[in-house]
Amino acid sequence: MHENSAVPVTRSDPVSARGLLEHALPAGNPAVPQPLGDAGGELRVNRWTAWAPFVILSLLLVVLYDRVAIKLVRDWYELPDFSHGFLIPFFAAFLLWDKRLELRRTPPTPSWAGVWLVALGLFELMVGIFGADLFLQRTSFIVLVAGLVRTVLGKAMLGRVKFVLFVLLLAIPLPAVLLNQITFPLQLLASWLASSLLPLAGVPVLREGNIIQLPAMQLEVAEACSGIRSLMSLFTVAVIYGYFLERGTWRRAALALASIPIAVAANVARIFGTGLCVQYWDPDKATGFFHEFSGWLMFLVSLGLLYLVHRAMGVLAPGRREAA
């Protein structure tokens, strides 16, 4: 018999057992637990790698649109017709937060299909800069962001945030050419309706365009009295109101569209009330305190009418009125 050269190992000799194990298994063998070491550092690197494209794209957007954004905020402050723009960024941020779970569940599917939108947004920005067109510069941001989302995150993600992009459009003042095309017809419409109602209250009226001639004085329905300010503000409020209280897209759209005739009717009522005050009270007070106070009053009345329209929709076409 050959002599066995194996060294007996007993349970009382843990050092010898460990030594044999270290000699039996080569270094780096997966059977031997390895120290975690830089696992935390690798995790941080992976997170940075995942967020790096978004950080870089955000910085590029800031570089491209910093002056555009500053001028936009200044216009919100200086143009009363678009002072509601201060609310839009906060509402858009809330929309993203409200959809955060839905956005997380949407897998990113990068695609080159959005590159043409990116190119279109950059081209629109260049045209706006060289042509000194603020509207093109501002709307190019929406187009560019839509293109970046489509390219980096995919079509499904763009579908999730399309309403947010639409809301951002409400913060952009209309170009002067388009605004004039809307304002002047509103002036004529408000003048015509008010001059048609005043004789019913015993007030003689002679109208020429947007000028209403009363026995006591002459009223001019100026651009500020066209109703465009209350129309834009009420439309924005209707969009926000519909988002919180309606689920169906068509019902939200109906509420937003209903704000247009409501705003026009409220402005006509304001001019009608001014005409009555001129005739039966005091012309100076009618064009002073009452004129300013009636603007706020009519906007509150408009909000009440919007609520009544919503209630009527619930009665005539019942549906689930839940926030999406």
Side-chain angles (χ1 to χ4, degrees), residues 8 17 46 53 59 67 69 73 78 86 98 121 128 134 151 156 161 187 193 212 232 242 260 262 277:
N46 291 336
L59 292 176
R67 295 183 180 180
V73 173
E78 296 176 352
F86 285 105
D98 192 40
L134 291 175
T151 303
V161 300
Q187 291 175 255
L193 291 174
I212 300 177
M232 297 298 300
I260 298 176
I262 290 175
C277 289

Side-chain angles (χ1 to χ4, degrees), residues 22 29 48 103-104 107 139 216 219 235 243 256 280 282 299 302 305 310:
E22 291 176 353
N29 193 295
W48 164 248
L103 296 177
R104 288 175 183 174
T139 53
L219 288 180
F235 183 84
Y243 175 81
Y280 298 113
D282 187 343
F299 188 75
S302 299
L305 292 176
H310 185 218

Side-chain angles (χ1 to χ4, degrees), residues 50-307:
W51 283 100
F54 300 98
V55 173
I56 294 173
L57 289 175
S58 299
L59 292 176
L60 289 176
L61 288 175
V62 171
V63 172
L64 287 174
Y65 289 97
D66 59 338
R67 295 183 180 180
V68 177
I70 293 173
K71 181 63 172 67
L72 178 61
V73 173
R74 187 180 299 124
D75 285 350
W76 291 343
Y77 181 78
E78 296 176 352
L79 300 177
D81 295 346
F82 297 95
S83 57
H84 63 272
F86 285 105
L87 300 176
I88 301 301
F90 297 100
F91 181 54
F94 170 80
L95 290 176
L96 293 175
W97 179 84
D98 192 40
K99 295 176 177 289
R100 64 192 184 280
L101 297 180
E102 183 180 352
L103 296 177
R104 288 175 183 174
R105 290 193 298 264
T106 304
T109 55
S111 171
W112 292 106
V115 173
W116 70 272
L117 271 177
V118 175
L120 179 61
L122 293 174
F123 176 75
E124 184 181 356
L125 176 62
M126 291 177 58
V127 173
I129 292 175
F130 290 111
D133 192 315
L134 291 175
F135 184 74
L136 289 179
Q137 296 177 39
R138 293 162 179 173
T139 53
S140 69
F141 175 79
I142 309 296
V143 179
L144 183 56
V145 170
L148 291 174
V149 172
R150 178 69 175 89
T151 303
V152 178
L153 300 176
K155 183 178 180 180
M157 188 66 73
L158 180 59
R160 298 288 186 272
V161 300
K162 61 183 179 182
F163 182 68
V164 180
L165 298 178
F166 167 75
V167 168
L168 291 177
L169 283 175
L170 299 178
I172 300 177
L174 298 176
V177 175
L178 180 58
L179 192 62
N180 292 335
Q181 295 296 322
I182 298 175
T183 301
F184 187 65
L186 285 176
Q187 291 175 255
L188 296 179
L189 178 62
S191 304
W192 175 71
L193 291 174
S195 61
S196 300
L197 293 174
L198 284 171
L200 300 179
V203 181
V205 170
L206 176 63
R207 182 181 70 89
E208 295 182 0
N210 62 325
I211 305 297
I212 300 177
Q213 183 64 53
L214 302 175
M217 66 175 297
Q218 178 178 284
L219 288 180
E220 178 185 1
V221 182
E223 292 183 4
C225 302
S226 64
I228 188 65
R229 182 185 310 173
S230 58
L231 192 156
M232 297 298 300
S233 300
L234 189 64
F235 183 84
T236 303
V237 170
V239 171
I240 299 175
Y241 179 85
Y243 175 81
F244 284 112
L245 297 179
E246 286 294 348
R247 175 175 292 275
T249 301
W250 77 268
R251 297 173 71 91
R252 292 174 175 176
L255 275 175
L257 293 177
S259 66
I260 298 176
I262 290 175
V264 172
N267 190 51
V268 171
R270 181 188 182 190
I271 299 173
F272 176 76
T274 303
L276 292 180
C277 289
V278 168
Q279 182 68 17
Y280 298 113
W281 189 27
D282 187 343
D284 293 332
K285 293 180 180 179
T287 56
F289 169 77
F290 178 81
H291 184 71
E292 296 298 329
F293 174 74
S294 62
W296 290 98
L297 178 63
M298 287 299 102
F299 188 75
L300 295 177
V301 171
S302 299
L303 293 177
L305 292 176
L306 185 66
Y307 172 76

